[in-house]
mmCIF file of all heavy atoms in Angstrom:
data_model
loop_
_atom_site.group_PDB
_atom_site.id
_atom_site.type_symbol
_atom_site.label_atom_id
_atom_site.label_comp_id
_atom_site.label_asym_id
_atom_site.label_seq_id
_atom_site.Cartn_x
_atom_site.Cartn_y
_atom_site.Cartn_z
ATOM 1 N N LYS A 116 31.352 13.408 -2.770
ATOM 2 C CA LYS A 116 31.116 11.984 -2.479
ATOM 3 C C LYS A 116 30.195 11.812 -1.279
ATOM 4 O O LYS A 116 29.362 10.901 -1.264
ATOM 5 C CB LYS A 116 32.449 11.263 -2.243
ATOM 6 C CG LYS A 116 33.277 11.105 -3.498
ATOM 7 C CD LYS A 116 34.501 10.259 -3.274
ATOM 8 C CE LYS A 116 35.560 11.049 -2.542
ATOM 9 N NZ LYS A 116 36.837 10.330 -2.421
ATOM 10 N N THR A 117 30.309 12.695 -0.301
ATOM 11 C CA THR A 117 29.447 12.579 0.882
ATOM 12 C C THR A 117 27.977 12.704 0.484
ATOM 13 O O THR A 117 27.134 11.913 0.927
ATOM 14 C CB THR A 117 29.810 13.666 1.920
ATOM 15 O OG1 THR A 117 31.169 13.484 2.318
ATOM 16 C CG2 THR A 117 28.903 13.594 3.132
ATOM 17 N N GLU A 118 27.675 13.676 -0.368
ATOM 18 C CA GLU A 118 26.297 13.853 -0.827
ATOM 19 C C GLU A 118 25.830 12.640 -1.635
ATOM 20 O O GLU A 118 24.692 12.189 -1.491
ATOM 21 C CB GLU A 118 26.203 15.114 -1.691
ATOM 22 C CG GLU A 118 24.800 15.467 -2.112
ATOM 23 C CD GLU A 118 24.759 16.745 -2.928
ATOM 24 O OE1 GLU A 118 25.301 17.774 -2.490
ATOM 25 O OE2 GLU A 118 24.168 16.691 -4.032
ATOM 26 N N ALA A 119 26.715 12.100 -2.453
ATOM 27 C CA ALA A 119 26.370 10.927 -3.258
ATOM 28 C C ALA A 119 26.088 9.718 -2.380
ATOM 29 O O ALA A 119 25.120 8.996 -2.602
ATOM 30 C CB ALA A 119 27.496 10.614 -4.237
ATOM 31 N N VAL A 120 26.930 9.517 -1.381
ATOM 32 C CA VAL A 120 26.736 8.381 -0.471
ATOM 33 C C VAL A 120 25.470 8.576 0.345
ATOM 34 O O VAL A 120 24.690 7.637 0.521
ATOM 35 C CB VAL A 120 27.978 8.186 0.437
ATOM 36 C CG1 VAL A 120 27.702 7.181 1.538
ATOM 37 C CG2 VAL A 120 29.177 7.757 -0.391
ATOM 38 N N ARG A 121 25.227 9.786 0.832
ATOM 39 C CA ARG A 121 24.012 10.069 1.604
ATOM 40 C C ARG A 121 22.768 9.755 0.772
ATOM 41 O O ARG A 121 21.852 9.071 1.241
ATOM 42 C CB ARG A 121 23.975 11.535 2.045
ATOM 43 C CG ARG A 121 22.710 11.902 2.832
ATOM 44 C CD ARG A 121 22.616 13.394 3.168
ATOM 45 N NE ARG A 121 23.762 13.837 3.928
ATOM 46 C CZ ARG A 121 24.685 14.698 3.475
ATOM 47 N NH1 ARG A 121 24.591 15.194 2.252
ATOM 48 N NH2 ARG A 121 25.686 15.056 4.242
ATOM 49 N N SER A 122 22.777 10.235 -0.459
ATOM 50 C CA SER A 122 21.631 10.013 -1.342
ATOM 51 C C SER A 122 21.432 8.528 -1.627
ATOM 52 O O SER A 122 20.295 8.029 -1.613
ATOM 53 C CB SER A 122 21.848 10.780 -2.645
ATOM 54 O OG SER A 122 20.810 10.540 -3.544
ATOM 55 N N ALA A 123 22.528 7.819 -1.896
ATOM 56 C CA ALA A 123 22.438 6.383 -2.185
ATOM 57 C C ALA A 123 21.910 5.610 -0.981
ATOM 58 O O ALA A 123 21.065 4.716 -1.124
ATOM 59 C CB ALA A 123 23.797 5.852 -2.608
ATOM 60 N N LEU A 124 22.395 5.943 0.195
ATOM 61 C CA LEU A 124 21.934 5.247 1.408
ATOM 62 C C LEU A 124 20.465 5.558 1.687
ATOM 63 O O LEU A 124 19.692 4.663 2.053
ATOM 64 C CB LEU A 124 22.800 5.625 2.607
ATOM 65 C CG LEU A 124 24.227 5.072 2.579
ATOM 66 C CD1 LEU A 124 25.049 5.664 3.710
ATOM 67 C CD2 LEU A 124 24.216 3.556 2.664
ATOM 68 N N GLN A 125 20.060 6.807 1.505
ATOM 69 C CA GLN A 125 18.654 7.163 1.717
ATOM 70 C C GLN A 125 17.758 6.421 0.728
ATOM 71 O O GLN A 125 16.690 5.930 1.113
ATOM 72 C CB GLN A 125 18.462 8.676 1.578
ATOM 73 C CG GLN A 125 19.030 9.451 2.743
ATOM 74 C CD GLN A 125 19.018 10.962 2.521
ATOM 75 O OE1 GLN A 125 19.010 11.434 1.381
ATOM 76 N NE2 GLN A 125 19.031 11.717 3.608
ATOM 77 N N ALA A 126 18.196 6.311 -0.526
ATOM 78 C CA ALA A 126 17.407 5.591 -1.531
ATOM 79 C C ALA A 126 17.321 4.108 -1.187
ATOM 80 O O ALA A 126 16.257 3.491 -1.325
ATOM 81 C CB ALA A 126 18.020 5.781 -2.913
ATOM 82 N N ALA A 127 18.425 3.527 -0.736
ATOM 83 C CA ALA A 127 18.428 2.103 -0.381
ATOM 84 C C ALA A 127 17.504 1.836 0.808
ATOM 85 O O ALA A 127 16.745 0.863 0.809
ATOM 86 C CB ALA A 127 19.850 1.642 -0.066
ATOM 87 N N ILE A 128 17.551 2.702 1.798
ATOM 88 C CA ILE A 128 16.704 2.542 2.985
ATOM 89 C C ILE A 128 15.233 2.700 2.607
ATOM 90 O O ILE A 128 14.377 1.910 3.028
ATOM 91 C CB ILE A 128 17.116 3.545 4.082
ATOM 92 C CG1 ILE A 128 18.480 3.135 4.659
ATOM 93 C CG2 ILE A 128 16.062 3.629 5.181
ATOM 94 C CD1 ILE A 128 19.134 4.189 5.530
ATOM 95 N N ALA A 129 14.915 3.702 1.788
ATOM 96 C CA ALA A 129 13.527 3.918 1.357
ATOM 97 C C ALA A 129 13.019 2.723 0.562
ATOM 98 O O ALA A 129 11.869 2.300 0.725
ATOM 99 C CB ALA A 129 13.428 5.195 0.519
ATOM 100 N N SER A 130 13.879 2.159 -0.279
ATOM 101 C CA SER A 130 13.486 1.004 -1.086
ATOM 102 C C SER A 130 13.120 -0.186 -0.207
ATOM 103 O O SER A 130 12.123 -0.865 -0.447
ATOM 104 C CB SER A 130 14.624 0.629 -2.035
ATOM 105 O OG SER A 130 14.332 -0.562 -2.724
ATOM 106 N N VAL A 131 13.914 -0.426 0.806
ATOM 107 C CA VAL A 131 13.646 -1.555 1.704
ATOM 108 C C VAL A 131 12.377 -1.299 2.513
ATOM 109 O O VAL A 131 11.557 -2.201 2.688
ATOM 110 C CB VAL A 131 14.855 -1.811 2.628
ATOM 111 C CG1 VAL A 131 14.508 -2.814 3.713
ATOM 112 C CG2 VAL A 131 16.042 -2.303 1.818
ATOM 113 N N LYS A 132 12.199 -0.069 2.978
ATOM 114 C CA LYS A 132 11.011 0.252 3.770
ATOM 115 C C LYS A 132 9.741 0.159 2.935
ATOM 116 O O LYS A 132 8.679 -0.183 3.454
ATOM 117 C CB LYS A 132 11.130 1.650 4.373
ATOM 118 C CG LYS A 132 12.081 1.723 5.545
ATOM 119 C CD LYS A 132 12.094 3.127 6.129
ATOM 120 C CE LYS A 132 12.958 3.204 7.368
ATOM 121 N NZ LYS A 132 12.974 4.568 7.947
ATOM 122 N N ASP A 133 9.832 0.487 1.648
ATOM 123 C CA ASP A 133 8.654 0.470 0.778
ATOM 124 C C ASP A 133 8.302 -0.921 0.274
ATOM 125 O O ASP A 133 7.219 -1.128 -0.253
ATOM 126 C CB ASP A 133 8.864 1.389 -0.427
ATOM 127 C CG ASP A 133 8.891 2.851 -0.045
ATOM 128 O OD1 ASP A 133 8.430 3.184 1.067
ATOM 129 O OD2 ASP A 133 9.372 3.668 -0.855
ATOM 130 N N ARG A 134 9.219 -1.846 0.420
ATOM 131 C CA ARG A 134 9.000 -3.199 -0.086
ATOM 132 C C ARG A 134 7.889 -3.884 0.708
ATOM 133 O O ARG A 134 7.874 -3.864 1.936
ATOM 134 C CB ARG A 134 10.299 -3.995 0.054
ATOM 135 C CG ARG A 134 10.342 -5.226 -0.790
ATOM 136 C CD ARG A 134 11.683 -5.920 -0.718
ATOM 137 N NE ARG A 134 12.756 -5.043 -1.164
ATOM 138 C CZ ARG A 134 14.005 -5.147 -0.752
ATOM 139 N NH1 ARG A 134 14.345 -6.053 0.117
ATOM 140 N NH2 ARG A 134 14.915 -4.319 -1.207
ATOM 141 N N VAL A 135 6.949 -4.468 -0.002
ATOM 142 C CA VAL A 135 5.841 -5.178 0.642
ATOM 143 C C VAL A 135 6.317 -6.600 0.952
ATOM 144 O O VAL A 135 6.780 -7.308 0.061
ATOM 145 C CB VAL A 135 4.603 -5.220 -0.276
ATOM 146 C CG1 VAL A 135 3.483 -6.015 0.359
ATOM 147 C CG2 VAL A 135 4.152 -3.805 -0.619
ATOM 148 N N PRO A 136 6.220 -7.004 2.219
ATOM 149 C CA PRO A 136 6.674 -8.354 2.580
ATOM 150 C C PRO A 136 5.935 -9.443 1.801
ATOM 151 O O PRO A 136 4.767 -9.276 1.434
ATOM 152 C CB PRO A 136 6.348 -8.454 4.075
ATOM 153 C CG PRO A 136 6.241 -7.043 4.544
ATOM 154 C CD PRO A 136 5.728 -6.259 3.373
ATOM 155 N N LEU A 137 6.618 -10.546 1.560
ATOM 156 C CA LEU A 137 6.057 -11.649 0.788
ATOM 157 C C LEU A 137 4.735 -12.131 1.370
ATOM 158 O O LEU A 137 3.779 -12.358 0.630
ATOM 159 C CB LEU A 137 7.059 -12.803 0.718
ATOM 160 C CG LEU A 137 6.571 -14.064 0.008
ATOM 161 C CD1 LEU A 137 6.216 -13.764 -1.447
ATOM 162 C CD2 LEU A 137 7.622 -15.158 0.078
ATOM 163 N N HIS A 138 4.643 -12.264 2.674
ATOM 164 C CA HIS A 138 3.402 -12.791 3.265
ATOM 165 C C HIS A 138 2.223 -11.863 2.988
ATOM 166 O O HIS A 138 1.100 -12.328 2.783
ATOM 167 C CB HIS A 138 3.566 -13.063 4.775
ATOM 168 C CG HIS A 138 3.728 -11.839 5.620
ATOM 169 N ND1 HIS A 138 2.664 -11.159 6.130
ATOM 170 C CD2 HIS A 138 4.824 -11.183 6.040
ATOM 171 C CE1 HIS A 138 3.091 -10.128 6.835
ATOM 172 N NE2 HIS A 138 4.410 -10.119 6.787
ATOM 173 N N GLN A 139 2.457 -10.552 2.914
ATOM 174 C CA GLN A 139 1.360 -9.630 2.599
ATOM 175 C C GLN A 139 0.958 -9.739 1.131
ATOM 176 O O GLN A 139 -0.232 -9.681 0.793
ATOM 177 C CB GLN A 139 1.755 -8.193 2.917
ATOM 178 C CG GLN A 139 1.802 -7.900 4.399
ATOM 179 C CD GLN A 139 2.190 -6.457 4.679
ATOM 180 O OE1 GLN A 139 2.566 -5.709 3.791
ATOM 181 N NE2 GLN A 139 2.095 -6.074 5.947
ATOM 182 N N ARG A 140 1.948 -9.917 0.248
ATOM 183 C CA ARG A 140 1.622 -10.103 -1.166
ATOM 184 C C ARG A 140 0.855 -11.393 -1.383
ATOM 185 O O ARG A 140 -0.091 -11.450 -2.173
ATOM 186 C CB ARG A 140 2.892 -10.079 -2.016
ATOM 187 C CG ARG A 140 3.514 -8.686 -2.092
ATOM 188 C CD ARG A 140 4.725 -8.667 -2.974
ATOM 189 N NE ARG A 140 5.814 -9.315 -2.251
ATOM 190 C CZ ARG A 140 6.880 -9.852 -2.802
ATOM 191 N NH1 ARG A 140 7.018 -9.861 -4.114
ATOM 192 N NH2 ARG A 140 7.824 -10.397 -2.074
ATOM 193 N N LEU A 141 1.249 -12.455 -0.666
ATOM 194 C CA LEU A 141 0.551 -13.732 -0.783
ATOM 195 C C LEU A 141 -0.875 -13.639 -0.239
ATOM 196 O O LEU A 141 -1.802 -14.228 -0.808
ATOM 197 C CB LEU A 141 1.327 -14.839 -0.068
ATOM 198 C CG LEU A 141 2.631 -15.256 -0.733
ATOM 199 C CD1 LEU A 141 3.379 -16.258 0.144
ATOM 200 C CD2 LEU A 141 2.384 -15.836 -2.108
ATOM 201 N N GLU A 142 -1.039 -12.894 0.848
ATOM 202 C CA GLU A 142 -2.381 -12.708 1.405
ATOM 203 C C GLU A 142 -3.283 -12.001 0.391
ATOM 204 O O GLU A 142 -4.453 -12.365 0.227
ATOM 205 C CB GLU A 142 -2.315 -11.901 2.701
ATOM 206 C CG GLU A 142 -1.774 -12.681 3.881
ATOM 207 C CD GLU A 142 -1.564 -11.813 5.121
ATOM 208 O OE1 GLU A 142 -1.803 -10.578 5.058
ATOM 209 O OE2 GLU A 142 -1.163 -12.368 6.154
ATOM 210 N N ALA A 143 -2.740 -10.998 -0.298
ATOM 211 C CA ALA A 143 -3.530 -10.275 -1.308
ATOM 212 C C ALA A 143 -3.900 -11.205 -2.461
ATOM 213 O O ALA A 143 -5.034 -11.180 -2.956
ATOM 214 C CB ALA A 143 -2.744 -9.073 -1.822
ATOM 215 N N ALA A 144 -2.956 -12.031 -2.891
ATOM 216 C CA ALA A 144 -3.230 -12.980 -3.977
ATOM 217 C C ALA A 144 -4.276 -14.000 -3.543
ATOM 218 O O ALA A 144 -5.175 -14.357 -4.314
ATOM 219 C CB ALA A 144 -1.946 -13.678 -4.404
ATOM 220 N N GLN A 145 -4.172 -14.466 -2.309
ATOM 221 C CA GLN A 145 -5.139 -15.446 -1.802
ATOM 222 C C GLN A 145 -6.525 -14.826 -1.698
ATOM 223 O O GLN A 145 -7.519 -15.469 -2.029
ATOM 224 C CB GLN A 145 -4.698 -15.973 -0.429
ATOM 225 C CG GLN A 145 -5.584 -17.085 0.113
ATOM 226 C CD GLN A 145 -5.577 -18.319 -0.760
ATOM 227 O OE1 GLN A 145 -4.524 -18.811 -1.116
ATOM 228 N NE2 GLN A 145 -6.751 -18.811 -1.115
ATOM 229 N N ALA A 146 -6.593 -13.568 -1.280
ATOM 230 C CA ALA A 146 -7.893 -12.885 -1.184
ATOM 231 C C ALA A 146 -8.528 -12.752 -2.570
ATOM 232 O O ALA A 146 -9.736 -12.942 -2.724
ATOM 233 C CB ALA A 146 -7.715 -11.515 -0.540
ATOM 234 N N LEU A 147 -7.713 -12.450 -3.564
ATOM 235 C CA LEU A 147 -8.226 -12.358 -4.932
ATOM 236 C C LEU A 147 -8.717 -13.719 -5.417
ATOM 237 O O LEU A 147 -9.780 -13.825 -6.027
ATOM 238 C CB LEU A 147 -7.137 -11.824 -5.862
ATOM 239 C CG LEU A 147 -7.517 -11.620 -7.315
ATOM 240 C CD1 LEU A 147 -8.674 -10.643 -7.450
ATOM 241 C CD2 LEU A 147 -6.325 -11.134 -8.107
ATOM 242 N N ALA A 148 -7.964 -14.770 -5.135
ATOM 243 C CA ALA A 148 -8.375 -16.119 -5.534
ATOM 244 C C ALA A 148 -9.677 -16.515 -4.830
ATOM 245 O O ALA A 148 -10.560 -17.124 -5.443
ATOM 246 C CB ALA A 148 -7.265 -17.124 -5.208
ATOM 247 N N ASP A 149 -9.800 -16.148 -3.569
ATOM 248 C CA ASP A 149 -11.034 -16.443 -2.836
ATOM 249 C C ASP A 149 -12.223 -15.699 -3.442
ATOM 250 O O ASP A 149 -13.333 -16.230 -3.505
ATOM 251 C CB ASP A 149 -10.892 -16.065 -1.357
ATOM 252 C CG ASP A 149 -9.949 -16.993 -0.605
ATOM 253 O OD1 ASP A 149 -9.643 -18.094 -1.124
ATOM 254 O OD2 ASP A 149 -9.491 -16.605 0.500
ATOM 255 N N LYS A 150 -11.965 -14.459 -3.905
ATOM 256 C CA LYS A 150 -13.027 -13.661 -4.512
ATOM 257 C C LYS A 150 -13.484 -14.281 -5.833
ATOM 258 O O LYS A 150 -14.671 -14.272 -6.152
ATOM 259 C CB LYS A 150 -12.520 -12.236 -4.745
ATOM 260 C CG LYS A 150 -13.556 -11.282 -5.247
ATOM 261 C CD LYS A 150 -12.967 -9.874 -5.373
ATOM 262 C CE LYS A 150 -13.992 -8.912 -5.915
ATOM 263 N NZ LYS A 150 -13.439 -7.560 -6.071
ATOM 264 N N VAL A 151 -12.546 -14.831 -6.604
ATOM 265 C CA VAL A 151 -12.867 -15.469 -7.877
ATOM 266 C C VAL A 151 -13.693 -16.728 -7.636
ATOM 267 O O VAL A 151 -14.616 -17.029 -8.377
ATOM 268 C CB VAL A 151 -11.579 -15.793 -8.663
ATOM 269 C CG1 VAL A 151 -11.864 -16.673 -9.857
ATOM 270 C CG2 VAL A 151 -10.891 -14.510 -9.092
ATOM 271 N N GLY A 152 -13.349 -17.452 -6.605
ATOM 272 C CA GLY A 152 -14.091 -18.654 -6.266
ATOM 273 C C GLY A 152 -13.393 -19.914 -6.736
ATOM 274 O O GLY A 152 -12.346 -19.864 -7.364
ATOM 275 N N PRO A 153 -13.999 -21.051 -6.455
ATOM 276 C CA PRO A 153 -13.373 -22.321 -6.809
ATOM 277 C C PRO A 153 -13.369 -22.555 -8.324
ATOM 278 O O PRO A 153 -14.156 -21.968 -9.066
ATOM 279 C CB PRO A 153 -14.237 -23.359 -6.099
ATOM 280 C CG PRO A 153 -15.545 -22.693 -5.896
ATOM 281 C CD PRO A 153 -15.267 -21.228 -5.756
ATOM 282 N N VAL A 154 -12.479 -23.412 -8.742
ATOM 283 C CA VAL A 154 -12.367 -23.774 -10.154
ATOM 284 C C VAL A 154 -13.554 -24.637 -10.544
ATOM 285 O O VAL A 154 -13.957 -25.535 -9.814
ATOM 286 C CB VAL A 154 -11.049 -24.555 -10.398
ATOM 287 C CG1 VAL A 154 -10.966 -25.047 -11.829
ATOM 288 C CG2 VAL A 154 -9.863 -23.687 -10.054
ATOM 289 N N ASP A 155 -14.124 -24.344 -11.722
ATOM 290 C CA ASP A 155 -15.241 -25.127 -12.241
ATOM 291 C C ASP A 155 -14.671 -26.361 -12.930
ATOM 292 O O ASP A 155 -14.020 -26.244 -13.967
ATOM 293 C CB ASP A 155 -16.046 -24.286 -13.235
ATOM 294 C CG ASP A 155 -17.227 -25.038 -13.824
ATOM 295 O OD1 ASP A 155 -17.449 -26.212 -13.455
ATOM 296 O OD2 ASP A 155 -17.928 -24.442 -14.660
ATOM 297 N N PRO A 156 -14.908 -27.544 -12.392
ATOM 298 C CA PRO A 156 -14.326 -28.751 -12.992
ATOM 299 C C PRO A 156 -14.896 -29.060 -14.377
ATOM 300 O O PRO A 156 -14.287 -29.782 -15.162
ATOM 301 C CB PRO A 156 -14.676 -29.862 -11.996
ATOM 302 C CG PRO A 156 -15.834 -29.341 -11.217
ATOM 303 C CD PRO A 156 -15.708 -27.841 -11.213
ATOM 304 N N ASP A 157 -16.045 -28.483 -14.718
ATOM 305 C CA ASP A 157 -16.663 -28.736 -16.017
ATOM 306 C C ASP A 157 -16.271 -27.703 -17.081
ATOM 307 O O ASP A 157 -16.708 -27.801 -18.226
ATOM 308 C CB ASP A 157 -18.194 -28.758 -15.877
ATOM 309 C CG ASP A 157 -18.655 -29.880 -14.962
ATOM 310 O OD1 ASP A 157 -18.022 -30.956 -14.984
ATOM 311 O OD2 ASP A 157 -19.628 -29.668 -14.220
ATOM 312 N N TYR A 158 -15.454 -26.706 -16.712
ATOM 313 C CA TYR A 158 -15.062 -25.663 -17.658
ATOM 314 C C TYR A 158 -14.142 -26.234 -18.725
ATOM 315 O O TYR A 158 -13.181 -26.928 -18.436
ATOM 316 C CB TYR A 158 -14.373 -24.515 -16.921
ATOM 317 C CG TYR A 158 -13.827 -23.462 -17.855
ATOM 318 C CD1 TYR A 158 -14.679 -22.638 -18.571
ATOM 319 C CD2 TYR A 158 -12.459 -23.295 -18.020
ATOM 320 C CE1 TYR A 158 -14.187 -21.676 -19.438
ATOM 321 C CE2 TYR A 158 -11.949 -22.341 -18.885
ATOM 322 C CZ TYR A 158 -12.820 -21.527 -19.583
ATOM 323 O OH TYR A 158 -12.328 -20.578 -20.439
ATOM 324 N N ASP A 159 -14.436 -25.918 -19.976
ATOM 325 C CA ASP A 159 -13.651 -26.414 -21.110
ATOM 326 C C ASP A 159 -12.911 -25.232 -21.745
ATOM 327 O O ASP A 159 -13.463 -24.516 -22.580
ATOM 328 C CB ASP A 159 -14.574 -27.097 -22.125
ATOM 329 C CG ASP A 159 -13.811 -27.741 -23.268
ATOM 330 O OD1 ASP A 159 -12.560 -27.674 -23.280
ATOM 331 O OD2 ASP A 159 -14.475 -28.318 -24.146
ATOM 332 N N ALA A 160 -11.675 -25.029 -21.345
ATOM 333 C CA ALA A 160 -10.886 -23.914 -21.851
ATOM 334 C C ALA A 160 -10.633 -24.057 -23.348
ATOM 335 O O ALA A 160 -10.598 -23.062 -24.076
ATOM 336 C CB ALA A 160 -9.562 -23.820 -21.096
ATOM 337 N N LYS A 161 -10.466 -25.283 -23.828
ATOM 338 C CA LYS A 161 -10.209 -25.489 -25.250
ATOM 339 C C LYS A 161 -11.397 -25.038 -26.083
ATOM 340 O O LYS A 161 -11.222 -24.415 -27.134
ATOM 341 C CB LYS A 161 -9.894 -26.951 -25.538
ATOM 342 C CG LYS A 161 -9.695 -27.216 -27.032
ATOM 343 C CD LYS A 161 -8.711 -28.285 -27.293
ATOM 344 C CE LYS A 161 -8.493 -28.619 -28.733
ATOM 345 N NZ LYS A 161 -8.737 -27.656 -29.759
ATOM 346 N N ALA A 162 -12.594 -25.302 -25.630
ATOM 347 C CA ALA A 162 -13.786 -24.882 -26.367
ATOM 348 C C ALA A 162 -13.840 -23.356 -26.459
ATOM 349 O O ALA A 162 -14.162 -22.805 -27.517
ATOM 350 C CB ALA A 162 -15.045 -25.425 -25.702
ATOM 351 N N ASP A 163 -13.501 -22.667 -25.389
ATOM 352 C CA ASP A 163 -13.470 -21.208 -25.407
ATOM 353 C C ASP A 163 -12.398 -20.706 -26.363
ATOM 354 O O ASP A 163 -12.604 -19.777 -27.130
ATOM 355 C CB ASP A 163 -13.214 -20.636 -24.007
ATOM 356 C CG ASP A 163 -14.487 -20.569 -23.182
ATOM 357 O OD1 ASP A 163 -15.579 -20.734 -23.746
ATOM 358 O OD2 ASP A 163 -14.365 -20.299 -21.970
#
């Protein structure tokens, strides 16, 4: 059980440390949106 608990705790800690914070994910999404550029108001999605 000690080995099982050690392994579980190490996995839980690694998972939390590897998690990318929400603000960083949002920054990446915003950078991608900025790269795409503004929405074309004349674009006709239905025609496409």
Side-chain angles (χ1 to χ4, degrees):
K116 290 187 284 186
T117 299
E118 185 178 308
V120 170
R121 179 185 302 113
S122 177
L124 290 172
Q125 287 172 336
I128 290 168
S130 174
V131 170
K132 285 183 176 180
D133 291 343
R134 198 175 301 153
V135 177
L137 176 61
H138 68 88
Q139 287 180 352
R140 290 182 286 158
L141 290 174
E142 286 173 358
Q145 185 62 50
L147 182 59
D149 289 344
K150 185 177 178 181
V151 170
V154 175
D155 180 1
D157 298 325
Y158 175 69
D159 185 1
K161 177 148 179 26
D163 278 348

